[in-house]
């Protein structure tokens, strides 16, 4: 090979190499990568207790079971954390002008986990179960649906007809639906013992892969009609609570634990690998006052009792800060909440002034009026936190001359012997799992004071009654909001009960799990409401935009 040719080839090769390097440099300088979520990964949670019945029409009787229902099943609609109603298995609906008829158009692309198509037959079957005399589920749910006529309009449309206009009805259409093709042959009274309850088939984003005494494993549903989750599997280990839960988190045996007690939080916050998500629950702690008791019939006395209790101290000391002072029976997260509602900030001097004005004077440390002492029994269940609360409340009220005898009973006994028959002076209770629709009719309307009702205080106020009646007959949200705000003003002024606090749910999650968002919760089960956005696996995404370098 001539020397000149060889040298020329070397020069050409060198120039080519330099050009390639320059080109690589060009792309390296002008392209970038971004880490994004990728499908895959197994999320492992520790759960106190274990499920016993995964049938969505029966699960409300068992708290732990409800954790799995939103993952496995779907309803015609779904409810957001703000209380908005969105389509789910229904693609749309229309409401008659009088608010009594609802026609739902169903999606035609839905399949059950076993591959069978979802149709109007499944809606009709589910409602018929709720209406059946042998339905073994919650009685209040049965009462609602027995007043609803349902008919099928073809394979993919259903019509509901109500006896009267009922504005909250749309939220009830979020109830999870059952597969008619699997359950029709089973008598309704035997549904509680059906094998289906251990190996359910739904339409949700996850499906059952494995169930044992120790855990349950769910896998992503490849036919899911909504946004596909990133997490390929969920494994929930059972009967992990207390110190066992904390140890499992610390040792990496589980990635998350919910329903944490206030005492757990300080130690968990010391772990740099954990994130603590605290979210308000749709609940409130309340002291029911029996308004048939003579001294509770005076509004000034009731107002004084609220002023006398340091509710913020209860939250800070007993709840570890996991709560918010309550001033309304409508939750702060609701569209109907009134920010202008009257607030009773801790003011023992104002409490004394009101009691003096009402004619209750201090004699030997206890207030009296017409020879009657201002003293009563305050009951609650044997939960440790609630026991501490009534003891602290008793001390606060003693400081203004009110004598309180705190009494504790087992939970079932408290409800059976004291709450339902209204055999109490005052009773600390928790209204839990309140629906997103803010309708408080059943708790505070005067028609609900009988043993079958939930108005445990015997609260009867004509103005409040009219507002509650009209609000549930009004479909316009703006009008309903005005009515509920007026109701809250009336309630605050009348003070028929002592609202203490809105509790928080605390959820510890390993920071390995990304994208976690936990908003307001109807119940702890709603922590999975946005689980489709959670992820563990990631991948690199190349950003392709290029800028020419001159």
């Amino acid at each position: 090979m001539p020397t000149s040719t060889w040298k020329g080839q070397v020069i050409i090769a060198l120039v080519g190499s330099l050009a390639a390097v320059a080109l690589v440099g060009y792309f390296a300088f002008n392209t970038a990568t971004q880490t994004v979520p990728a499908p895959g990964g197994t999320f492992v949670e520790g759960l106190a207790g274990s499920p016993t019945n995964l049938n969505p029409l029966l699960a409300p009787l068992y708290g732990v079971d409800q954790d799995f229902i939103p993952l496995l099943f779907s309803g015609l609609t779904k409810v957001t954390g703000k209380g908005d109603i969105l389509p789910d298995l229904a693609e749309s609906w229309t409401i008659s002008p009088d608010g009594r008829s609802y026609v739902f158009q169903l999606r035609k692309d839905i399949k059950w986990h076993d591959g069978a198509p979802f149709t109007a037959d499944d809606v009709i079957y589910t409602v018929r179960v709720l209406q059946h005399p042998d339905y073994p589920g919650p009685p209040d749910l049965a009462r609602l649906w027995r007043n609803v006529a349902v008919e099928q309009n073809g394979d993919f449309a259903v019509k509901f007809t109500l006896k009267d206009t009922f504005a909250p009805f749309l939220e009830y259409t979020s109830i999870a639906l059952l597969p008619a093709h699997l359950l029709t042959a089973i008598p309704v009274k035997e549904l509680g013992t059906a094998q289906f309850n251990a190996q359910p088939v739904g339409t949700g984003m996850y499906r059952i892969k494995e169930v044992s005494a120790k855990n349950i494993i769910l896998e992503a549903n490849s036919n899911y009609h909504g946004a596909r989750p990133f997490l390929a599997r969920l494994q929930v280990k059972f009967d992990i609570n207390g110190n066992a839960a904390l140890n499992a988190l610390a040792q990496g045996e589980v990635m998350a634990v919910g329903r944490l007690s206030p005492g757990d939080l300080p130690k968990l916050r010391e772990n740099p690998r954990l994130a603590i998500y605290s979210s308000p629950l749709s609940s409130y702690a309340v002291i029911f006052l029996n308004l048939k008791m003579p001294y509770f019939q005076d509004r000034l006395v009731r107002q004084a009792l609220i002023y006398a209790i340091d509710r913020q101290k209860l939250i800070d000391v007993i709840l570890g800060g996991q709560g918010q002072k309550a001033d309304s029976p409508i939750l702060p997260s609701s569209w109907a909440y009134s920010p202008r509602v009257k607030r009773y900030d801790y003011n023992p001097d104002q409490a004394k002034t009101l009691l003096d004005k009402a004619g209750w004077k201090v004699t030997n440390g206890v207030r009296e009026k017409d020879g009657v002492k201002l003293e009563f029994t305050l009951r609650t269940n044997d939960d440790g936190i609630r026991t501490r609360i009534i003891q602290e409340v008793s001390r606060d009220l003693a400081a203004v001359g009110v004598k309180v005898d705190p009494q504790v009973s087992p939970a079932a006994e408290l409800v059976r012997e004291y709450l339902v028959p209204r055999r109490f002076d005052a009773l600390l209770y928790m209204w839990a799992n309140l629906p997103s629709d803010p309708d408080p009719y059943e708790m505070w309307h005067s028609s609900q004071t009988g043993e079958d009702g939930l108005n445990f205080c015997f609260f009867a106020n004509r103005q409040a009654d009219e507002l509650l009646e009209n609000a549930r007959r009004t479909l316009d949200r703006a009008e309903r909001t005005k009515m509920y705000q007026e109701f809250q003003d009336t309630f605050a002024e009348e003070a028929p009960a002592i609202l203490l606090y809105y509790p928080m749910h605390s959820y510890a999650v390993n920071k390995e799990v990304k994208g976690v968002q936990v908003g307001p919760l109807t119940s702890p089960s709603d922590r999975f409401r946005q689980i489709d956005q959670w992820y563990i696996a990631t991948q690199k995404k190349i950003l392709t935009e290029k800028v020419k370098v001159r």
Side-chain angles (χ1 to χ4, degrees):
M1 179 182 298
T3 303
S4 59
T5 303
W6 178 79
K7 288 182 177 179
Q9 289 180 340
V10 171
I11 291 172
I12 291 171
L14 180 60
V15 171
S17 298
L18 291 174
V21 171
L23 189 60
V24 171
Y26 173 88
F27 283 116
F29 184 79
N30 291 280
T31 63
T33 60
Q34 180 182 14
T35 300
V36 298
T42 299
F43 174 76
V44 184
E45 179 176 293
L47 183 67
S50 60
T52 58
N53 197 322
L54 295 177
N55 184 318
L57 300 194
L58 307 178
L61 297 176
Y62 312 99
V64 170
D65 301 73
Q66 273 294 342
D67 287 8
F68 301 95
I69 300 305
L71 300 171
L72 297 169
F73 293 91
S74 311
L76 291 174
T77 61
K78 57 185 176 182
V79 185
T80 70
K82 295 181 179 179
D84 296 320
I85 311 296
L86 302 178
D88 199 355
L89 297 181
E91 61 183 12
S92 64
W93 58 84
T94 56
I95 306 174
S96 64
D98 64 2
R100 295 181 58 243
S101 295
Y102 294 71
V103 177
F104 286 82
Q105 301 298 326
L106 310 183
R107 294 180 57 146
K108 299 179 176 65
D109 59 344
I110 307 297
K111 293 186 181 300
W112 293 95
H113 291 159
D114 63 0
F118 163 78
T119 69
D121 290 339
D122 302 305
V123 182
I124 300 297
Y125 169 77
T126 302
V127 175
R128 296 286 187 240
V129 169
L130 291 165
Q131 295 175 335
H132 199 282
D134 293 331
Y135 169 56
D140 55 335
L141 198 57
R143 279 195 298 270
L144 171 85
W145 284 101
R146 284 171 187 162
N147 290 315
V148 179
V150 59
E151 57 185 295
Q152 184 171 341
N153 291 352
D155 289 340
F156 295 98
V158 292
K159 179 180 180 181
F160 299 114
T161 303
L162 284 61
K163 291 184 178 180
D164 298 297
T165 304
F166 181 55
F169 174 72
L170 202 55
E171 180 171 341
Y172 287 90
T173 62
S174 66
I175 190 167
L177 299 174
L178 292 173
H181 68 285
L182 295 178
L183 297 173
T184 300
I186 301 175
V188 172
K189 64 181 179 181
E190 296 177 13
L191 281 179
T193 58
Q195 178 60 29
F196 176 89
N197 304 332
Q199 294 282 346
V201 172
T203 56
M205 71 172 66
Y206 285 93
R207 55 184 294 165
I208 296 284
K209 179 176 176 60
E210 176 187 319
V211 180
S212 70
K214 294 183 178 180
N215 70 186
I216 186 170
I217 298 177
L218 310 181
E219 61 182 3
N221 174 16
S222 59
N223 291 322
Y224 184 57
H225 56 281
R228 289 288 305 277
F230 292 109
L231 296 171
R233 287 170 298 281
L234 272 67
Q235 179 183 9
V236 180
K237 297 182 178 182
F238 302 147
D239 297 321
I240 296 180
N241 54 20
N243 289 331
L246 302 187
N247 293 335
L249 273 172
Q251 296 171 14
E253 296 175 4
V254 299
M255 296 176 174
V257 171
R259 294 179 173 88
L260 299 167
S261 70
D264 296 333
L265 298 179
K267 183 175 181 180
L268 291 172
R269 290 192 178 110
E270 295 175 359
N271 190 332
R273 296 185 295 109
L274 298 178
I276 309 297
Y277 298 90
S278 294
S279 305
L281 283 165
S282 293
S283 310
Y284 60 87
V286 56
I287 295 177
F288 293 129
L289 302 176
N290 187 336
L291 300 188
K292 288 193 173 183
M293 306 299 293
Y295 36 75
F296 289 150
Q297 293 177 6
D298 190 329
R299 180 174 62 188
L300 294 181
V301 172
R302 302 194 300 267
Q303 292 178 346
L305 297 180
I306 305 176
Y307 278 122
I309 299 171
D310 191 347
R311 294 177 292 160
Q312 191 60 51
K313 183 180 178 182
L314 299 179
I315 295 168
D316 293 341
V317 175
I318 299 178
L319 302 181
Q322 297 301 293
Q324 177 184 348
K325 194 166 59 173
D327 294 293
S328 168
I330 291 181
L331 304 171
S333 59
S334 171
W335 48 263
Y337 177 73
S338 175
R340 73 184 186 200
V341 68
K342 179 177 180 177
R343 305 182 190 284
Y344 291 84
D345 294 325
Y346 177 54
N347 191 335
D349 290 335
Q350 177 68 3
K352 294 174 183 177
T353 298
L354 290 175
L355 291 171
D356 288 341
K357 184 177 179 180
W360 293 91
K361 305 301 181 183
V362 178
T363 302
N364 297 323
V366 179
R367 291 181 181 270
E368 292 187 9
K369 181 181 179 180
D370 299 330
V372 177
K373 292 185 177 182
L374 187 48
E375 59 182 2
F376 58 88
T377 298
L378 173 57
R379 297 185 178 277
T380 194
N381 67 3
D382 50 4
D383 173 83
I385 288 178
R386 294 185 193 179
T387 299
R388 292 177 62 192
I389 287 174
I390 65 170
Q391 291 170 346
E392 188 64 32
V393 166
S394 301
R395 284 189 284 269
D396 282 347
L397 294 180
V400 298
V402 179
K403 185 178 180 180
V404 177
D405 178 22
Q407 294 288 329
V408 173
S409 304
E413 179 183 319
L414 181 77
V415 172
R416 182 183 66 251
E417 300 295 331
Y418 300 103
L419 180 64
V420 172
R422 277 75 165 170
R423 287 199 294 265
F424 63 85
D425 301 335
L427 188 147
L428 170 61
Y429 195 69
M430 178 72 74
W431 274 131
N433 299 351
L434 297 173
S436 297
D437 190 286
D439 175 33
Y441 180 97
E442 292 188 343
M443 286 89 83
W444 302 111
H445 191 275
S446 63
S447 66
Q448 305 300 302
T449 55
E451 285 198 16
D452 291 334
L454 300 177
N455 183 344
F456 297 113
C457 294
F458 296 103
F459 178 51
N461 180 278
R462 186 61 248 167
Q463 182 179 9
D465 281 355
E466 290 177 357
L467 289 166
L468 294 177
E469 292 162 9
N470 293 333
R472 61 176 13 199
R473 289 197 296 258
T474 302
L475 298 181
D476 183 87
R477 178 174 284 193
E479 289 300 315
R480 288 188 78 200
T481 299
K482 291 179 184 177
M483 294 175 189
Y484 284 137
Q485 289 184 340
E486 290 183 41
F487 164 74
Q488 289 168 85
D489 291 339
T490 301
F491 187 96
E493 188 62 31
E494 290 298 318
I498 301 174
L499 306 181
L500 294 180
Y501 60 87
Y502 309 113
M504 306 284 283
H505 173 265
S506 296
Y507 189 42
V509 183
N510 193 299
K511 292 179 181 178
E512 178 185 356
V513 185
K514 306 291 196 304
V516 178
Q517 297 181 40
V518 184
L521 311 176
T522 300
S523 72
S525 306
D526 287 332
R527 65 192 182 278
F528 294 135
R529 182 178 275 145
Q530 295 176 296
I531 198 171
D532 59 301
Q533 300 175 27
W534 301 9
Y535 64 96
I536 297 171
T538 60
Q539 61 187 359
K540 295 291 185 180
K541 178 181 179 181
I542 298 177
L543 303 180
T544 58
E545 182 179 359
K546 301 180 179 66
V547 178
K548 187 176 181 180
V549 178
R550 297 182 182 275

